[in-house]
Amino acid sequence: MPDMTRYKTALFCSGLLLLLLACNLTSSPEPPTILPRATATPPPTISYATLSPEELPPEAATTAPQFPQADATLLNLMNQIQTDRLMYHIDTLQNFRTRHVNSHQNLPDQGIGAAYNYIMGQFEEISAASQQRLVTFHHPFEITWAGVKSEQKNIIAYLPGTEVNAGTILIGAHYDSISLDYEDGSAYAPGANDNASGVAAVIELARVLSARQHRSTIMFVAFAAEEVNRRGSIAFVNDYVQGRGVGVDAMLNLDIIGSYQGANGTVDDRNIRLFSAGPDASSSRRLARIIELIGTRHVSHMTILLQDAIDRENRYGDHMSFSDAGYAAVRFTQALEDFSRQHTDRDTIDGIQGIYLTNATRTILAVVTALADGPRPPTDMALRDAGSGQRTLIWTPVGDAAGYVVALRAPSALTYQAFEIEDGANSLTWDGFLPERWAGVAIAAKDASGLMGPLSPEYPIR
């Protein structure tokens, strides 16, 4: 456990008493296009909305309330995320001065090598505390950047799942940093928000989630070399995921999640953006829709804003290495950005708001818990004519389901509209299954505590 007294004293002496009240966002443009745009991504035009009571089929118990109370188990899990730990990780990583791929490899207190040792050390401590439930290793790969050849290391830890065919969920964040002089391996590049914030969240998620077993395998990866054209995640996908046939069902990239402040003093402490590769039928966009629905049902402190884009304009992230290879992948990024801090010596811990980072991490924890531990989705859906203008939706029942969430997507909609069935029935007769109104329907099971699992594949309504 870190020495929190020393840490808090250091923060006080450094004038960082406002670290829980102020924060900022950074980003990683693809060199050499490094000048940021001064505009934020606009909010989506279509957001979550439940059906009105008069539109519901008789079997529906109620509309799914926006921001419902989460069950006690999930609330307790989210409350285990500790702000002090998150901030300690960021403070430690920024104090290595730079984490550029061409920075020092062998110094104990500077450079990419020191960052590697710290992150791997954190994973190993968590592994020991979990009685080796968390398995750790690293993935080496070679790159040449700015004429310098080096070996870089992705840092991996994973929790083996308990259920056959429950898949793998990967939570990732890049740990390298860069300055506006992207070839200079010695320039000061503290990278507190970009992306020590994401790495801190990955470490804290590993700590909380490793305390128990999960249906799905959960993998945690700190990627090197993201700032130099995603070299680390591309190598990981090629060498490890595809090379070893690892079935990644969902990749969640945490990149710049520590601030609620934008340019000119703007503030948004209630939202976090979610990016994914289109089109609407892609596996990544489908994953994003599922995550948005999970967040709406189980998270009261933060709203997930689904974006109709793979990333911010002219930007990239490690999720793209996965979606380019055909895996479902998304990126979490804070709602607002202050581009004046990005890749500069101003990207320091005084631009991080601990409360926002904590809420973002808790949101992601709720999503991962639903995907990994919720009931498995129904299968073998079909729509049958029931006469009198009605159609019956039928699906294979789920053994541990106490009810179901029925999610409908309108044509060209980014997100789902949803309602719930409480009695565990595996069919629904309704006059609302109309192709002019809905493009598709998907179903998730929920357990006795109310936790929903992943959605089934979307069934087209024709």
Side-chain angles (χ1 to χ4, degrees), residues 23-364:
C23 178
N24 170 298
L25 219 182
T26 74
S27 126
S28 66
E30 182 168 1
T33 308
I34 60 172
L35 295 178
R37 292 174 57 87
T39 59
T41 303
T45 56
I46 303 174
S47 60
Y48 178 90
T50 56
L51 295 167
S52 62
E54 58 271 16
E55 294 177 293
L56 289 169
E59 295 89 339
T62 180
T63 55
Q66 194 168 14
F67 306 134
Q69 182 74 10
D71 69 275
T73 301
L74 185 58
L75 281 173
N76 178 64
L77 199 63
M78 289 191 285
N79 287 336
Q80 292 177 41
I81 299 294
Q82 296 181 15
T83 303
D84 278 353
R85 288 180 180 272
L86 292 167
M87 299 302 288
Y88 182 88
H89 297 318
I90 293 173
D91 188 50
T92 301
L93 289 168
Q94 76 159 13
N95 287 339
F96 293 139
R97 207 174 173 282
T98 179
R99 305 185 299 276
H100 191 284
V101 292
N102 290 344
S103 62
H104 291 289
Q105 294 268 9
N106 300 314
L107 293 181
D109 57 354
Q110 284 188 40
I112 190 74
Y116 165 83
N117 290 334
Y118 177 77
I119 298 166
M120 179 59 83
Q122 291 298 308
F123 280 162
E124 289 173 345
E125 286 184 15
I126 295 168
S127 177
S130 71
Q131 298 182 327
Q132 280 67 54
R133 182 181 295 118
L134 184 74
V135 180
T136 66
F137 64 99
H138 74 268
H139 164 240
F141 61 97
E142 289 188 350
I143 69 167
T144 299
W145 182 253
V148 178
K149 185 176 181 179
S150 65
E151 180 183 82
Q152 301 295 317
K153 298 172 184 174
N154 294 319
I155 309 165
I156 302 98
Y158 70 93
L159 296 165
T162 61
E163 190 170 300
V164 176
N165 297 324
T168 298
I169 300 164
L170 191 154
I171 311 166
H174 75 88
Y175 71 96
D176 60 318
S177 65
I178 205 166
S179 70
L180 288 174
D181 185 355
Y182 56 89
E183 292 190 347
D184 189 348
S186 62
Y188 183 48
N193 205 14
D194 186 11
N195 183 38
S197 65
V199 174
V202 169
I203 295 171
E204 184 67 349
L205 288 167
R207 184 186 70 83
V208 173
L209 288 166
S210 66
R212 60 190 181 91
Q213 293 181 313
H214 305 274
R215 285 182 167 183
S216 299
T217 295
I218 304 176
M219 184 173 291
F220 310 89
V221 184
F223 295 107
E226 187 269 355
E227 299 284 13
V228 293
N229 300 328
R230 298 184 279 121
R231 302 287 186 85
S233 56
I234 290 173
F236 184 75
V237 170
N238 291 340
D239 299 345
Y240 187 79
V241 177
Q242 293 182 322
R244 301 193 182 189
V246 178
V248 174
D249 295 273
M251 188 275 180
L252 281 57
N253 180 26
L254 318 185
D255 197 346
I256 310 171
I257 61 169
S259 174
Y260 57 59
Q261 287 185 334
N264 302 317
T266 54
V267 169
D268 186 344
D269 62 352
R270 292 287 305 179
N271 299 306
I272 188 167
R273 290 178 292 172
L274 185 67
F275 292 89
S276 60
D280 284 340
S282 74
S283 60
S284 293
R285 185 58 51 81
R286 177 177 173 272
L287 172 63
R289 282 196 292 270
I290 294 171
I291 289 172
E292 192 272 347
L293 181 59
I294 291 171
T296 299
R297 292 192 73 260
H298 289 304
V299 178
S300 62
H301 54 265
M302 184 166 277
T303 300
I304 298 171
L305 298 179
L306 181 54
Q307 308 294 305
D308 188 11
I310 191 171
D311 210 319
R312 296 100 74 236
E313 189 173 358
N314 296 325
R315 302 305 175 93
Y316 63 79
D318 286 320
H319 61 299
M320 296 169 67
S321 302
F322 288 80
S323 59
D324 287 351
Y327 299 96
V330 297
R331 173 181 181 153
F332 282 94
T333 298
Q334 62 201 49
L336 299 177
E337 299 187 61
D338 181 355
F339 294 105
S340 68
R341 285 182 179 260
Q342 294 178 5
H343 298 169
T344 73
D345 57 6
R346 296 182 61 232
D347 186 8
T348 51
I349 198 169
D350 63 314
I352 300 291
Q353 284 86 42
I355 296 300
Y356 183 88
L357 176 59
T358 300
N359 284 338
T361 307
R362 286 172 174 165
T363 298
I364 295 159

